[in-house]
Amino acid sequence: MGEFIILLQDQQIIMREYSISGFLTDIFTIIIMGISLYFFHLIEESNLEKERITKLYEKQKYQDLTYTFMKSAKDELDRFEHRMIYKIRNVKLEIEKHDYDEAIKLIENYRDEIHRINRTVYTGNGVFDTSMMLKLKELEYDVTPCFTISSREFYNNVQFMNLVLELLDAIHVKSLSLIIKEEKNICIVQCVGKDLSLCFDEMKHIFDKKIDFVYKYQMQENDSIDLFTLKIRMEDE
């Protein structure tokens, strides 16, 4: 608009219709343009600083999560080592008593325990991986994760992570297969299990929250296995 006004004033000069009011208009227009550019510069700097602070916050949060996970893993390994010594001693005692069936039973229980604590998640999405590993360790039911996703900022999004973590809390089942995969620009989260039940009050609370992305979900139930599917549209990066 400033350039357009100045162009009109220039035409008046060429046509010899220029006046002092036109000159003042030019000066006023240039001043307004300068002030506008200055404020746009301030806004741009403010947005860059906000983005920098947000990235620092996310980095710190990831570091805190990583530290929490490492401390939790160390404590679990220490407890596991003590249990291992105790169980090996029990196996040895059963073998010395020639009670091989009981020794085999102890070994199988020990193997199942190792399987339960082995819940390593690595998808290349740091915050997502750490959050999922911590969650899988604290759940009361057994979860088999199967994640075939790429490395992208969407999976480190706080809303997405909270949605998945709260969904796991709302599920009641003995064992569950958790599948997260991609189809084009759609993220698909599937929970598969026998006698899978959902707390609908918790589900309503989860999906009543303000969520910035488009999603839909459905529950399929039959006699042998139940399937909950959540589809989320990922924004192009």
Side-chain angles (χ1 to χ4, degrees):
M1 289 181 64
E3 290 178 353
F4 179 70
I5 292 172
I6 291 174
L7 180 63
L8 290 178
Q9 298 299 322
D10 291 342
Q11 288 179 346
Q12 289 181 356
I13 292 174
I14 294 172
M15 297 174 64
R16 301 173 182 254
E17 296 178 358
Y18 196 66
S19 63
I20 189 66
S21 62
F23 174 76
L24 292 176
T25 300
D26 277 355
I27 296 297
F28 179 74
T29 302
I30 292 171
I31 292 173
I32 293 299
M33 289 173 63
I35 293 173
S36 299
L37 290 173
Y38 175 72
F39 277 107
F40 279 126
H41 176 69
L42 290 180
I43 292 171
E44 184 179 5
E45 283 190 340
S46 176
N47 288 335
L48 290 173
E49 181 65 15
K50 182 179 178 182
E51 184 179 352
R52 187 183 70 84
I53 292 173
T54 300
K55 287 182 177 179
L56 285 175
Y57 170 75
E58 292 294 333
K59 182 179 179 181
Q60 183 62 46
K61 183 172 66 174
Y62 168 63
Q63 290 175 343
D64 291 343
L65 283 171
T66 303
Y67 172 77
T68 301
F69 172 74
M70 291 177 65
K71 184 177 183 302
S72 174
K74 181 183 181 302
D75 293 341
E76 178 65 23
L77 285 173
D78 290 341
R79 290 192 297 268
F80 183 73
E81 183 179 1
H82 289 300
R83 292 197 302 270
M84 178 182 67
I85 295 172
Y86 173 76
K87 289 179 180 295
I88 290 176
R89 185 175 59 185
N90 286 342
V91 171
K92 180 182 177 182
L93 289 173
E94 296 301 331
I95 292 175
E96 289 174 349
K97 292 188 297 185
H98 302 288
D99 191 348
Y100 301 114
D101 291 338
E102 184 63 24
I104 292 173
K105 182 179 178 181
L106 288 172
I107 293 172
E108 289 178 348
N109 290 338
Y110 182 52
R111 181 193 60 193
D112 293 339
E113 186 175 347
I114 295 174
H115 175 71
R116 283 196 299 272
I117 69 168
N118 184 21
R119 286 291 179 265
T120 303
V121 175
Y122 181 76
T123 65
N125 302 285
V127 179
F128 171 81
D129 293 344
T130 305
S131 300
M132 286 303 305
M133 283 190 288
L134 289 171
K135 191 64 179 179
L136 295 179
K137 284 174 63 66
E138 70 179 38
L139 289 173
E140 296 181 356
Y141 56 87
D142 188 40
V143 180
T144 301
C146 179
F147 303 149
T148 54
I149 58 178
S150 60
S151 175
R152 55 193 298 172
E153 284 301 316
F154 171 81
Y155 296 110
N156 292 327
N157 182 286
V158 175
Q159 288 189 359
F160 171 75
M161 288 190 298
N162 287 341
L163 190 61
V164 176
L165 299 181
E166 291 177 11
L167 175 62
L168 292 173
D169 284 333
I171 291 175
H172 301 281
V173 69
K174 290 183 179 179
S175 62
L176 176 75
S177 292
L178 176 62
I179 302 168
I180 303 181
K181 58 185 179 179
E182 297 176 3
E183 288 185 3
K184 294 184 179 180
N185 210 36
I186 302 295
C187 172
I188 301 176
V189 180
Q190 292 182 315
C191 300
V192 186
K194 187 176 182 181
D195 298 325
L196 179 67
S197 63
L198 296 169
C199 179
F200 290 103
D201 289 338
E202 293 182 34
M203 292 291 291
K204 186 175 184 300
H205 175 71
I206 293 171
F207 291 105
D208 278 350
K209 294 179 181 178
K210 182 181 181 300
I211 300 176
D212 293 334
F213 37 73
V214 179
Y215 66 90
K216 65 177 181 179
Y217 62 90
Q218 63 176 354
M219 180 72 178
Q220 297 172 280
E221 299 177 288
N222 54 51
D223 296 334
S224 59
I225 196 166
D226 302 322
L227 172 64
F228 175 85
T229 302
L230 169 66
K231 295 185 177 182
I232 306 170
R233 181 177 296 280
M234 297 184 288
E235 296 294 332
D236 293 326
E237 297 178 350

